[in-house]
Amino acid sequence: MCASVKYNIRGPALIPRMKTKHRFYYVTLFSIVLLGLIATGVFQFWPHSIESSGDGGVEKRSIKEVPVVRLPAASPIPERGDLSCRMHTCFDVYRCGFNPKNKIKVYIYPLKKYVDDAGVPVSSTISREYNELLAAISDSDYYTDDISRACLFVPSIDVLNQSPLRIKETAQALAQLSRWDRGTNHLLFNMLPGGPPDYNTALDVPRDRALLAGGGFSTWTYRQGYDVSIPVFSPLSTEVALPEKAPGPRRYFLLSSQMAIHPEYREDLEALQAKHRESVLVLDKCTNLSEGVLSVRKRCHQHQVFDYPQVLQEATFCVVLRGARLGQAVLSDVLQAGCVPVVIADSYILPFSEVLDWKRASVVVPEEKMSDMYSILQNIPQRQIEEMQRQLSLSETLLFPQICFSSNLQEKRTFDVATGIIFGIARWFWEAYFQSIKAIALATLQIINDRIYPYAAISYEEWNDPPTVKWTSVSNPLFLPLIPPQSQGFTAIVLTYDRVESLFRVITEVSKVPSLSKLLVVWNNQNKNPPEESLWPKIRVPLKVVRTAENKLSNRFFPYDEIETEAVLAIDDDIIMLTSDELQFGYEVWREFPDRLVGYPGRLHLWDHEMNKWKYESEWTNEVSMVLTGAAFYHKYFNYLYTYKMPGDIKNWVDAHMNCEDIAMNFLVANVTGKAVIKVTPRKKFKCPECTAIDGLSLDQTHMVERSECINKFASVFGTMPLKVVEHRADPVLYKDDFPEKLKSFPNIGSL
Amino acid sequence: MPLWRRKSFWLALSVSWLLLILLGVFPLRLAVPPGPLPGCSQGWPRWLDAAFLQSFSQSETLPKDAPQLSQAPRGSSCTWGACFDTSKCKGNALKIFAHSPAGTTTEAHRRILDSLEGSRYYALSPTEACLHLFLPSQDHTCGPLPPYWNGGRNHLVLSLYPAPCTRLGQAMVAEASPSLDIFRPGFDVALPYLPEAHPLQGGAPGQLQQHSPQPGATLLAVAEEKGRWRITDTHASTCPWGKHCEQDPGLHQTHPGETLPNATFCLIPGHRSAASSLLQALQVLTALRDMLPSKILSLRQQTQFLWTAYFSSVEKVIHTTLEIIQDRIWGTSAHPSLMWNSPPGALLALPTFSTSLKDFPFYHLQQGSSPESSFSALIWVGVSSEPLLKLIQVVAGSRYCAQILILWSSEKPPPDRWPETTVPLTVIEGRRKASDRFFPYGDISTNVILSLDAHSTLSTSEVDFAFVVWQSFPERMVGFLTQNHFWDEARGAWGYSTEMANEFSMVLTTAVFYHRYYHTLFTHSLPKALRTMADDTPTCVDILMNFLVATVTKLPPIKVPYGRQHQEAVPLAAEGPGPVPEPQPLAQDCFSRVAAGFGHMPLVSSRVRLEPVLFKDPVSVQRKKYRSLEKP
């Protein structure tokens, strides 16, 4: 203790005691050693932990280190591509097998450097884009590193651009891949095919049966349903961000921005410009740019300099003309700018045309019609101009402003709504399928995947509809106009707990309805057994009792196997006031409106302006937006939807609160069909007039508050208010008409 | 103690050195296991020098050489742009002329020609046509080529069976089951292989009676020879697709002679013997069993829609072929894809009306749009009379009325002065033809039309309520007075009745709401013969319009209540007061002729009337919005 104190006190004296030159030497040496130690420690531990968490174990290597493969001059060359190849002839689907996820497995060969006998490289190892493409596949759900499980193989030999390739040697490199097998199930990506002078429209590298994802196919080289037509990636997409521009008036009607255009075509374009002056702009490369300005980012018209691709946003239509090759990167730029491409390239297979509906996003003009292009474009919307002008007054104007004032003519030019949609779709195509190498790679794999698992394929709407359309549109699951035959009848489902007497009365009453074909009792009481079989009322149709595992309200909407008819009548075990005519008529109405909820008492939702929220209304109003499911007909498919497809936590919420299952059903059906309910007959309530509830008023009020809460809860889960308000109800044709009662089909239709 | 201090200092120094050397020589690998974990996906490497990679197009200099001009089509292949001259189609309208068939006229030829005559694309002379139909004879020569053959340019070779001759230059080929290696996508047209007894016109609608498959229905039926079917076990799940199933392909029970089994899916294999192994290998059953109910539901309905819209008769197949060709001529203003693929189908949705789906009555749901909120009243005036002025006031009184159009079809000149109304009133001079009523006048400025007869008596309340109902059913007709059709056993023909009944299938067009699109459809899609008949027999117009709308919707019209005082209102062109007369023999005749013209009975009956929610309820009148509807 004492020593240490002394030591501490003397400590500072240590260094001065040494000789000055030694002192300096020791301090330096010690700090170097210490620094070295720390640095080593850091390198040893730290970097590994970062790498493993950040890159998921991906190794970091240099491209220069990839193994070298020597190709003997005599190594085999694949046969040229087989033009008759189709999926069922050249592709081995058995390799893909049945896959519960319906996703193909894609293997990527490891990167190698190929050299010929003399040691001269066959090509530069890999381009930035192909590296990105392989990385995108590797990151996707399609990827597998197990070659034996793969159904599609992607070589790491970069053939995106044919020009720098040594054709024969590249082909030899392909042929020596471990699973090549004549190229079966191999996928090659190529964006710039052919070479001078005649520029073939497909990759010239012999590739036997391999699939080709190519940019710039023509009808002569494209193997429909086998090859995939892909865009030519525009590197500008990553360099320049063009903000989305609202569709509507743009400065130029037609613009051409390409630099390499056949002189004859340029003459045609310039003639158009001369004729239509300021509404047409034909740009060319700039000849007098100062040093340091990127020539690819500038375009000129005479001495006027324009920024590219920004200038594309100033035009309604942009020309995409064939160059030496059919596929042009400018198509991507044009779509990004939301300019409608006017594709002038005969026989060109547009990118992803197998799934994309280019009619909705482009105008295709035959090359020989080029000089008529202007009038063709002007004619697009001008069918029945007066009609169009009239449409301008409609609400759609808000979505797509349709009047365009062209600066030169000073005349009003009308735009069809369709043109407005084309603007939107062009941009959407770019965002979804053009904007990055990853988007292109994944769309290509999805197309191949759709062919192999056609029953799980993505639908036309999913490929083509922009998200805004997907949100607002409704696709009714029962879209076919069809009135089911009366002979089918309906299944009545009675949910009951323990009111046996009332239940039996309901069974007896419902069994009198002519079209009843089966009765299903859902016994929701786990503590008590249903009455013995002999005690049940004897009725003319089969009666089945289903016991449930838990007392839940959602049991009433379960898609029981016992339901054989399409029509379901949900009915509470205390609904005894409905007449046989009333029920039969309800079924007839359901037949005419099988995609709707058909019920008796109607209810309404209202917006409470004071509270700023939805309110449940059971007053006898002139409008309805819901029907009670205490007695309602509906299609049994909605049972499936209620049980398995109810959004959010609504189903559990309803079971927990033991309330509002009917409102939830109303929301579900209205949301999926976009249609209103049908209220039948004058019936306003289920309670019989004589049975007044104890302390009815306060009970009613809490009930109303709870029901309003349900509406607000469901509206927030659905993210919208799907319920539709209508002012009509359905009655028999001769209801209360001056006509002999005995001749009416449904004379006893019941009361309020 | 300097020595001790110096010693410890040196010790620390040497230990540090030792550690440094050790760490350098044997890298510490305690933190991570050596190499990637087994089983962990390695993925495509992230190159350290990825940033230095060149762009694929970098080496690409802009091609200096002149890009080539379009090549002439190589003989073997044709594209639409290269082999069809659209400039021959005036106003982009397809007109087809049928040259007399090569060789003898067969039954198949006759059916094609009959179908063609009913088409709106039929041309009477070769000079007005831009497409020439060539019906090849059934031998390998195809028979002599017609005059003006011109290498087949702008010619259509049509055969309901696989064409006997494969290539005919630049002519389009529309044949049944074309083989893949000669089919030119986007140019040729593939037709379905129809049975010989396929109906010429109309045709039975699809047999689907329920949207969803019946529980317990067979999952899959496989076609065998001689019209027999093998069906899968309904409880196919008992046999997992393991090895022990190889003996049992999961199929059993043959039903000889049965036309079509009650199955959810049908498999018609190209090579029948291979069916079982195919099922096994592709595990078709597993895939089918795993299919979501929602997917099956939509597939079932789509098959029915496609069948009814394009396949059910020879006429439909031919008209669909022409519609496809017309779409190619139209280019950008062709049918949007949705029109082809959702009811009522491309033959009944004319893009000449509009290319915007929102303008049609059928696509509001898919488009997320809603029908318009105002209507145009179109009042047909045959004989000027007092009620007309009252009717104008009643209609103008509706808050949904946007304009009133008077279709003046009387011999007398229209009056110079019209009552003052809050909405614009336009007088159109009719051509005094009954079909005038349904002409798509450019003056009609809304998508909804209230079609009225000058004799009609209505109240503003009735107009308002009917319009609000129409907004819920924009594709249907919403009317007040109705008629019913029935099969008349005695006459062996369809008949109809105007008597009050529990059912109805037609509404009188003397007072009816419907979408403006039906005017276009009536004028441009109905066969000329039917429209001429309507002009000759005015009551026919009514029937014709009801048939047309029912063909499109496959649903009955909507009936709304009509005040009792108007019970005496009369159907179109009937005269004088009194009870509604039974249809005249002439009208009954017209009804059966229209039914024959359509080739089938499209009318559908309804037993429902839509009424205000509180209609005739014993509640306070003050609560009711449409109280005048109930006045006795």
Side-chain angles (χ1 to χ4, degrees), chain A residues 109-120:
Chain A
Y109 286 98
L111 189 61
K112 302 263 170 69
K113 184 175 184 165
Y114 296 92
V115 295
D116 61 14
D117 267 340
V120 181

Side-chain angles (χ1 to χ4, degrees), chain B residues 292-313:
Chain B
L292 288 175
S294 52
K295 179 91 180 176
I296 297 178
L297 193 67
S298 89
L299 286 174
R300 276 171 71 91
Q301 295 175 75
Q302 194 68 9
T303 60
Q304 291 297 291
F305 154 64
L306 292 177
W307 165 265
T308 315
Y310 307 116
F311 294 86
S312 65
S313 68

Side-chain angles (χ1 to χ4, degrees), chain B residues 255-295:
Chain B
H255 282 237
E258 206 171 282
T259 45
L260 206 64
N262 180 17
T264 306
F265 295 97
C266 289
L267 178 73
I268 301 159
H271 304 282
R272 300 215 161 136
S273 55
S276 294
S277 57
L278 186 77
L279 282 179
Q280 184 93 86
L282 292 179
Q283 287 162 308
V284 172
L285 285 175
T286 322
L288 294 182
R289 224 178 7 244
D290 288 351
M291 199 175 274
L292 288 175
S294 52
K295 179 91 180 176

